[in-house]
Amino acid sequence: MPDTNTPADAQAEIPPPSIGLGELIRPIRSKLILACLMQAVASIAGLVPLIAIAELAKELFADGGADDGRLWTIAIVAAVAFVVRLAFYLGALSVTHYADNDLQLEIRRQLADHMGSVPLGWFDDHDSGEIKKLVVDDVGAMHPLVAHALTDITSAVVTPIAAMTYLFIVDWQLALIVLIPFAIGIFLYGKQFSGYGENMAKYNEALEEVNVGAVEFVQGISVVKTFGQAGRAHRRFIDAAFRLVDYFWDWVSGLLRVSSAAEVALSPLTTLAVIAGTGSWFVSNDWISATDLVVFFVLGLALTAPILTLGYAMDEVQQASRAAGRIGTVLAEPVLPEAADPAVPADNSISLDGVGFSYDGERDVLRDIELRIEPGTLTALVGPSGSGKSTLAKLLCRFWDPTAGAVRLGEVELPDIARDELYRRVGFVFQEVQLLRASVADNIALGRPDANRSEIEQVARLAQIHDRIEQLPDGYDSIVGEGALLSGGEAQRVSIARALLADPPILVFDEATSFADPESEAAIQDALSNLTIGRTLIVIAHRLSTIVDADRIVVLRDGQIVETGTHDELVDLGGEYSRQWSADQRASRARDALVEGSEVPA
C-alpha cells in the first residue's frame, strides 16, 4: 500500500505568495496601453459622424439657405472620421490579439519551465486534469481580457465622456438634466457588481460540489446499486444540486431589482424620453434651438450604448483575475535549487546519511535514516502503510530534498548533480501511472524518442505487455485513451516498459506491480531479475513473496529503519519482517483457498 503521509503541499510551511493579474500581464503592458489609446481615438472619431449629422441639420435649416461648401466640408470630415475610427479600431484589435498570443505563449513557457523545476512531489497533489485546466483553460481565460475587455472598457469610458463634453458645449443645462438618469444607472450598475467576486467564488464552490456528486454517483453506480444504496447516492447528488440552486437564487434575487433599475436608467429609450420631454420644454421657451436639440437626440444614444457592454467586460476581468491567481500560485511555488557547478557521480552507489524528512515542518515522516545501496543489487523496502517507504523511495529520485541529512549518488549529494544527469541515471515507476494521449509506442519511447520499433517491442516483451499491445486495433500505433483502453495493470506494464527502454542504471519501483494479477506479477518479477546485473534496483512491493530473493530487505516502521537483511535472515530473526511474512503467507493461503473453493486454512 502507498504511504498515507503524502504531502498536502510540498515542503513549504507557508504558502508562497501568489503573482497577481497585474504582474502577469506586465510583459505586454505597453502594448495594452497603446491599444487602449488607439481605442480612445477610435471612440472619439466614432462620434464625429454623429456630430456631423447634427451639423448638417443645422446647415440645412439655417436662415438664408445651406452653404454647399460647408455641407461638403462636413461630409468629408465625417467620412474621414469614419475611416480613422475603422483604422484605429482594427489597429487596437490587432495589437491586443498579438499581445494576447505573446502573453499566452509566454505564460505557458513560464509554466512549463517552472513546473519542470518544482519538486516532483508537487505533482502528487496536482493531477493531469488540474494541470490541463491550468495550462489550457486558465491561460485561455486571459484572451477575453487582453483581446477585448480592456478596449471595451476604454470605449465605455471615453465615448460617454466625449459625447457629454460636446453636449455641455452645446447647452450645459440640458446636458446636466440628461446626465441625471445616466449617473443613476452608473451608480446602480456599480452596486450590482459589489461583492461579485466573492459571490462568484461561492457559486463555483457549490457547482464543484454538484460536479463531485455527479462523478461519484456515475462512477460508483454499480457498487451502490449492489448494496441497495442507489437512492442514498442519488440523494447526495440531488442535495448538492438543490444547494446550488438555492444559493444562486438567493444571490440573483437580491440583484433583480437593482439590475432592472440600472437597465431602465441606462436604456436608450429612457435617454430619448428625457431628451424629448426636457428638450421640447427648452425649445418652447427658446432656451435652445430645434437644430441643437437634434445634437442631443443623435449623441444621446452614444451615452448609454457602450455602458451596456461594460458588464460583460467586468465579468471577463473577474474571470481573468481568478485564473491569474491560480496561475500565479503555481509560478510562485518554490523550485528545487540547482547547482551552479554540477558534479558527476563517481559510480551508481546510493547512500543516505542521517536523512530526515517532514512535509509540514512539524511531524517527521523519516528520521535518522542510515542506508547504503551498492550497484548491481536488489534492495526491497517494506513496511506497513505510513511507514515512510514511498517517501524514502521518492527522496532517491529527488522528488524533494531531505530536511535533515543527505542523499548521495556516487558520493555526490543529489542537489549537486545536474537534473538531466540525475534522471539519466535514475528511473522510476510509481503506483500512479501517467500515460500521454499518444500512441503506445510513443509512450514507451518517452525517455528515448529515437528508439526504433524493435527496441520498443523488446522492452514490451520484458514487461509482459507485448501480446496485449498486439491485440489493440492499431497495435503499437493505437492512441492511449482512444484505441488503446488499458486496465490499471496493463498501463502499469507500459510504464515499466518505458523505464526499461530508458535503461537507467538505477531503477526505483514503488508499488509497480500492485495492479497486476499474480501471474503477470510473477512474469514481471522474472524480467526484473534479469536486469539487476550492473544496475541498482530498489523495489517496494505489497506482496512479500515477490522480494524473497532480494539482496537486501529494509524494514521501516514509523519513519525509521528497524531491520535490514536477507529474507532468510529476517525470518529467522523473528521480528517485524517475520510477523509481516507470516501475515502475508496466511493471506496468500486464504486467497488460494478461495480460488480453489476449499476451506480456508488456519
Side-chain angles (χ1 to χ4, degrees):
M1 295 294 293
D3 286 345
T4 57
N5 45 23
T6 50
D9 185 13
Q11 285 177 253
E13 297 180 42
I14 301 175
S18 177
I19 298 173
L21 178 61
E23 185 67 25
L24 205 61
I25 63 175
R26 181 185 294 275
I28 60 167
R29 185 173 296 177
S30 59
K31 295 179 181 178
L32 295 180
I33 293 174
L34 173 62
C36 289
L37 290 174
M38 296 178 72
Q39 181 61 51
V41 173
S43 299
I44 295 173
L47 293 175
V48 174
L50 300 179
I51 297 173
I53 293 174
E55 293 299 323
L56 285 173
K58 286 183 181 181
E59 188 64 31
L60 290 172
F61 292 103
D63 295 336
D67 183 343
D68 291 344
R70 179 169 170 74
L71 289 176
W72 277 107
T73 300
I74 294 173
I76 291 173
V77 170
V80 171
F82 178 79
V83 173
V84 170
R85 178 195 177 280
L86 183 62
F88 276 77
Y89 172 73
L90 294 177
L93 281 183
S94 298
V95 171
T96 57
H97 278 77
Y98 277 117
D100 173 58
N101 286 336
D102 291 343
L103 179 65
Q104 292 198 37
L105 176 61
E106 178 62 23
I107 292 175
R108 289 190 172 109
R109 280 177 173 171
Q110 288 183 30
L111 285 171
D113 291 343
H114 195 79
M115 286 190 290
S117 300
V118 299
L120 289 176
W122 180 84
F123 293 93
D124 283 355
D125 284 338
H126 300 79
D127 59 26
S128 58
E130 185 178 348
I131 294 172
K132 176 265 178 189
K133 183 181 184 302
L134 180 77
V135 176
V136 178
D137 300 341
D138 287 341
V139 175
M142 297 293 107
H143 170 78
L145 169 70
V146 174
H148 302 285
L150 294 179
T151 52
D152 288 346
I153 293 173
T154 300
S155 178
V157 172
V158 172
T159 301
I161 291 176
M164 188 56 68
T165 300
Y166 189 81
L167 293 180
F168 266 91
I169 294 173
V170 174
D171 190 284
W172 68 271
Q173 293 172 312
L174 182 57
L176 199 60
I177 295 174
V178 172
L179 186 61
I180 293 174
F182 178 79
I184 293 174
I186 294 297
F187 171 76
L188 293 174
Y189 220 53
K191 188 176 180 180
Q192 177 183 346
F193 278 93
S194 63
Y196 177 84
E198 181 181 353
N199 285 315
M200 195 64 189
K202 292 180 179 178
Y203 171 79
N204 286 330
E205 290 177 4
L207 183 61
E208 182 65 23
E209 288 185 14
V210 174
N211 291 335
V212 171
V215 171
E216 286 180 349
F217 179 69
V218 172
Q219 290 183 342
I221 187 63
S222 59
V223 177
V224 297
K225 288 185 71 175
T226 299
F227 289 93
Q229 297 294 318
R232 184 177 177 182
H234 184 256
R235 172 54 54 188
R236 188 179 307 164
F237 165 69
I238 293 297
D239 289 344
F242 273 117
R243 284 194 296 271
L244 172 64
V245 172
D246 290 342
Y247 175 76
F248 184 74
W249 177 247
D250 289 342
W251 174 26
V252 172
S253 60
L255 298 177
L256 286 178
R257 288 188 294 274
V258 176
S259 176
S260 299
E263 292 288 339
V264 170
L266 293 173
S267 170
L269 291 177
T270 300
T271 303
L272 292 177
V274 171
I275 293 173
T278 309
S280 299
W281 179 42
F282 272 50
V283 171
S284 64
N285 288 279
D286 292 328
W287 296 340
I288 189 175
S289 66
T291 53
D292 283 340
L293 185 59
V294 174
V295 177
F296 279 84
F297 276 113
V298 173
L299 290 185
L301 297 178
L303 291 175
T304 58
I307 299 299
L308 297 178
T309 65
L310 194 59
Y312 298 104
M314 294 305 296
D315 184 60
E316 290 165 350
V317 171
Q318 293 281 354
Q319 292 185 30
S321 295
R322 290 191 294 272
R326 291 187 290 269
I327 293 170
T329 298
V330 173
L331 291 178
E333 285 287 338
V335 301
L336 281 176
E338 290 289 327
D341 186 17
V344 178
D347 54 38
N348 294 315
S349 63
I350 298 173
S351 61
L352 294 89
D353 302 317
V355 167
F357 182 76
S358 172
Y359 290 113
D360 55 14
E362 297 179 0
R363 188 174 69 89
D364 289 331
V365 179
L366 295 173
R367 298 186 305 277
D368 302 321
I369 300 296
E370 297 285 344
L371 180 65
R372 182 172 180 82
I373 302 174
E374 297 295 339
T377 61
L378 169 59
T379 300
L381 304 178
V382 302
S385 177
S387 61
K389 57 186 184 297
S390 290
T391 300
L392 177 57
K394 290 178 179 180
L395 287 182
L396 301 178
C397 306
R398 208 190 174 200
F399 269 47
W400 302 278
D401 286 334
T403 51
V407 180
R408 295 183 174 86
L409 174 61
E411 306 306 325
V412 179
E413 290 192 31
L414 298 191
D416 295 330
I417 303 173
R419 189 165 51 197
D420 291 344
E421 176 68 17
L422 175 63
Y423 295 125
R424 186 185 66 80
R425 290 173 177 260
V426 182
F428 45 87
V429 178
F430 292 133
Q431 185 179 34
E432 297 298 328
V433 180
Q434 295 292 335
L435 298 182
L436 305 179
R437 199 174 188 84
S439 70
V440 176
D442 288 341
N443 269 279
I444 294 175
L446 188 62
R448 276 188 55 199
D450 58 340
N452 57 45
R453 182 57 60 88
S454 62
E455 292 174 315
I456 293 173
E457 292 182 5
Q458 180 181 1
V459 295
R461 287 188 176 91
L462 289 173
Q464 304 296 310
I465 193 63
H466 172 74
D467 293 340
R468 175 68 181 99
I469 296 174
E470 288 288 288
Q471 295 171 3
L472 297 174
D474 297 315
Y476 281 84
D477 295 321
S478 299
I479 303 299
V480 172
E482 296 178 8
L485 300 176
L486 303 173
S487 68
E490 291 165 350
Q492 193 68 272
R493 280 177 276 166
V494 170
S495 70
I496 292 173
R498 174 196 294 168
L500 298 179
L501 184 63
D503 197 26
I506 301 171
L507 289 171
V508 180
F509 288 83
D510 185 352
E511 299 280 4
T513 58
S514 60
F515 289 112
D517 56 80
E519 182 178 353
S520 296
E521 184 176 31
I524 293 173
Q525 293 299 332
D526 289 341
L528 294 177
S529 65
N530 295 325
L531 298 173
T532 57
I533 300 175
R535 287 184 177 83
T536 306
L537 193 64
I538 300 100
V539 175
I540 298 176
H542 65 294
R543 287 200 283 268
L544 299 185
S545 58
T546 62
I547 47 91
V548 293
D549 294 325
D551 297 295
R552 191 180 191 187
I553 297 173
V554 178
V555 185
L556 291 100
R557 174 175 283 280
D558 297 328
Q560 292 183 302
I561 296 176
V562 294
E563 294 174 354
T564 62
T566 64
H567 169 76
D568 293 336
E569 290 171 346
L570 294 177
V571 169
D572 293 339
L573 186 63
E576 177 73 22
Y577 180 82
S578 180
R579 289 190 293 272
Q580 291 186 32
W581 173 253
S582 298
D584 188 72
Q585 291 303 293
R586 287 194 299 270
S588 179
R589 288 193 295 269
R591 285 194 300 268
D592 294 341
L594 288 174
V595 172
E596 297 173 0
S598 59
E599 183 179 350
V600 178

